Amino acid sequence: MVNLCLDDYEAVIFDLDGSLVDSMWMWKAIDKEYLTGFGITPPETLQQEIGGRSFVETAQYFKDRFGIKDSIEKIGDDWNKMAWDKYTNEVPLKDGAFSFIKTCIAKGIKLGIASSNSTELIEQVLGTHNMKDMFGSIKSGTEVLKGKPAPDVYLEVSNELSVAPEKCLVFEDLVDGIKAGKSAGMTVIAVSDDYSRHSDDVKKDLSDYYIEDYNDIVLE
């Protein structure tokens, strides 16, 4: 359990996949299906290799690592099409997330999204859960020069929300994302996720707090 005083913060910024929605399983399945289409067997370490990379950086990695001849744009379009239906019909919010968000809104705390995913898919996810209008800033890793663990996307969100980094609370599930939030000068809560369970000890060491889900948060 984490005792949290929301009065200490002016903004809460969420990573999307694995932090706000339970979707990391889906991307592993898509990567496997995508590479199999080219006759390539994904290495067991693939998810660790691409963790934290932006959508564009991951597409470039696939081109370089596996010799994919399609353009970055074509790769991204293919992934978007593969993910669209799953996000709409199979991906739930993390337990307790919606209630926590409603509490933040009631307290006048600004909300933002800082994700490595594409803008199209971020908006699709938020639209599916009727949450898009709840966020004052939504930034994709495709909109910044450097993806996580660089702090760029978090700093872009805090700037757009007009909130100083030290007044921002971040929710992240991956090591690179936690590093990004901390490098931005923000307080970071690590979120449990089966996909990153192997790195829980590192996540706990790097972050300020750790939760299994949003029901672990006790508001002071």
Side-chain angles (χ1 to χ4, degrees):
M1 305 297 285
V2 170
N3 293 317
L4 190 65
C5 180
L6 286 177
D7 293 339
D8 294 337
Y9 306 98
E10 295 177 13
V12 175
I13 307 175
F14 299 87
D15 169 55
L16 186 70
D17 296 289
S19 301
L20 185 58
V21 296
D22 188 10
S23 57
M24 294 304 292
W25 61 270
M26 181 195 77
W27 282 108
K28 183 176 181 179
I30 286 176
D31 291 340
K32 181 177 180 180
E33 181 181 339
Y34 179 79
L35 289 175
T36 300
F38 289 94
I40 300 169
T41 300
E44 289 295 325
T45 57
L46 178 60
Q47 299 305 309
Q48 286 70 48
E49 293 171 19
I50 62 177
R53 295 175 188 262
S54 72
F55 204 72
V56 172
E57 288 173 333
T58 301
Q60 185 64 59
Y61 183 84
F62 270 56
K63 280 182 66 69
D64 297 340
R65 175 84 155 78
F66 303 109
I68 306 297
K69 299 188 182 302
D70 290 342
S71 66
I72 296 295
E73 292 75 15
K74 175 67 164 56
I75 294 172
D77 286 344
D78 288 344
W79 286 344
N80 279 337
K81 290 174 184 176
M82 295 169 75
W84 197 267
D85 182 66
K86 292 182 183 296
Y87 269 126
T88 302
N89 299 302
E90 300 179 40
V91 172
L93 291 171
K94 287 282 190 171
D95 287 346
F98 190 76
S99 178
F100 178 74
I101 286 172
K102 295 291 283 187
T103 298
C104 290
I105 292 172
K107 287 182 171 290
I109 294 172
K110 298 178 181 180
L111 301 177
I113 295 287
S115 171
S116 298
N117 210 330
S118 69
T119 301
E120 295 83 358
L121 288 179
I122 296 170
E123 292 182 350
Q124 169 68 5
V125 173
L126 297 180
T128 295
H129 295 284
N130 298 312
M131 296 171 62
K132 186 176 178 182
D133 293 339
M134 296 179 179
F135 296 89
S137 177
I138 299 171
K139 293 294 181 183
S140 162
T142 61
E143 300 177 72
V144 296
L145 183 62
K146 294 181 180 179
K148 302 170 185 178
D152 300 33
V153 68
Y154 278 110
L155 293 174
E156 283 287 327
V157 172
S158 66
N159 182 62
E160 187 164 73
L161 292 175
S162 299
V163 175
E166 61 268 21
K167 288 293 184 178
C168 293
L169 177 65
V170 166
F171 286 89
E172 265 286 358
D173 67 302
L174 294 180
V175 169
D176 280 348
I178 294 168
K179 289 179 178 178
K182 293 301 294 181
S183 294
M186 301 175 182
T187 300
V188 179
I189 296 181
V191 182
S192 173
D193 190 77
D194 287 343
Y195 165 82
S196 57
R197 186 73 66 183
H198 64 280
S199 59
D200 270 2
D201 288 343
V202 178
K203 288 166 60 172
K204 291 174 182 178
D205 286 342
L206 292 173
S207 62
D208 298 286
Y209 306 99
Y210 178 93
I211 58 172
E212 286 293 329
D213 60 47
Y214 291 83
N215 296 314
D216 276 352
I217 298 173
V218 177
L219 297 178
E220 298 178 349

